[in-house]
């Protein structure tokens, strides 16, 4: 029984031949030599496919966002439609009182607040105004949760 060692075979490729094969392999696979770092670039077809997938994912994200907005709008309409008029009237009164109180506190705070802090508060108020619907829904949910908790505490006593 004879064991062959690498390099003992006469038909084995030489070091120069192996080096030539290694140089040709990236080109045969469709890769091109990159910049000075020697990176390989993706074939053009792969870049086109990646761009198509990216466009498809972006479109799906837009559709999902539109679906979420539509669902939120339907939920707000349903809440308004199923809320008794007396509750809506009282909520309007409470909102008006809260608005007046906040305006009064704002005037008081403006007089006693450093300019940098006033600027930050102004940015926060702008963000709240931009997201008014979400803020109102959140406040309504918090009021409903408080009412439910209050009723549960009364029943325990």
């Amino acid at each position: 029984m004879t064991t062959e060692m690498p390099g003992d075979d006469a038909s084995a490729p030489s070091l120069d031949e192996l080096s030539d094969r290694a140089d040709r392999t990236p080109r045969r696979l469709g890769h091109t030599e990159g910049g000075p770092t020697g990176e390989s670039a993706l074939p053009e077809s792969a870049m086109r496919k990646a761009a198509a997938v990216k466009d498809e994912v972006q479109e799906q994200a837009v559709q999902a966002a539109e679906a979420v907005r539509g669902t939120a709008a339907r939920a707000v309409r349903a809440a308004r439609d199923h809320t008794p008029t007396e509750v809506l009237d009282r909520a309007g009164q409470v909102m008006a009182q809260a608005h007046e109180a906040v305006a009064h506190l704002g005037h008081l705070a403006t007089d006693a607040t450093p300019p940098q802090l006033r600027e930050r508060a102004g940015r926060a108020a702008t963000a709240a105004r931009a997201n008014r619907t979400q803020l109102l829904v959140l406040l309504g949910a918090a009021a409903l949760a408080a009412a439910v908790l209050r009723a549960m505490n009364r029943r325990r006593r």
Side-chain angles (χ1 to χ4, degrees):
M1 179 174 196
T2 60
T3 58
E4 293 184 15
M5 297 294 288
D8 286 350
D9 188 3
S11 65
S14 69
L15 186 58
D16 290 334
E17 189 177 330
L18 287 174
S19 178
D20 288 341
R21 281 187 196 173
D23 288 340
R24 286 190 309 258
T25 300
R27 279 181 255 141
R28 200 171 24 160
L29 293 175
H31 291 81
T32 58
E33 295 276 328
T37 60
E39 301 173 0
S40 295
L42 288 175
E44 189 175 323
S45 63
M47 291 190 319
R48 281 194 304 263
K49 287 178 185 177
V53 169
K54 177 185 171 190
D55 291 342
E56 184 179 333
V57 168
Q58 286 176 336
E59 180 63 28
Q60 289 175 352
V62 167
Q63 290 173 356
E66 289 173 357
V68 168
R69 278 190 220 106
T71 302
R74 283 191 301 276
V76 168
R77 281 193 302 274
R80 284 182 187 154
D81 292 345
H82 293 92
T83 303
T85 306
E86 299 83 30
V87 173
L88 290 174
D89 291 342
R90 181 67 183 138
Q93 292 170 357
V94 169
M95 288 296 292
Q97 289 173 348
H99 182 71
E100 289 174 15
V102 168
H104 178 68
L105 287 173
H107 291 297
L108 293 175
T110 301
D111 295 339
T113 304
Q116 290 175 334
L117 189 55
R118 267 188 266 156
E119 183 181 326
R120 287 183 186 170
R123 280 189 255 139
T126 301
R129 275 187 227 108
N131 299 308
R132 186 172 293 173
T133 302
Q134 292 92 343
L135 186 60
L136 290 174
V137 169
L138 181 63
L139 288 174
L144 180 62
V148 169
L149 289 174
R150 186 181 304 164
M152 289 174 54
N153 283 336
R154 285 183 190 156
R155 289 184 187 155
R156 286 186 186 169
R157 293 181 188 166

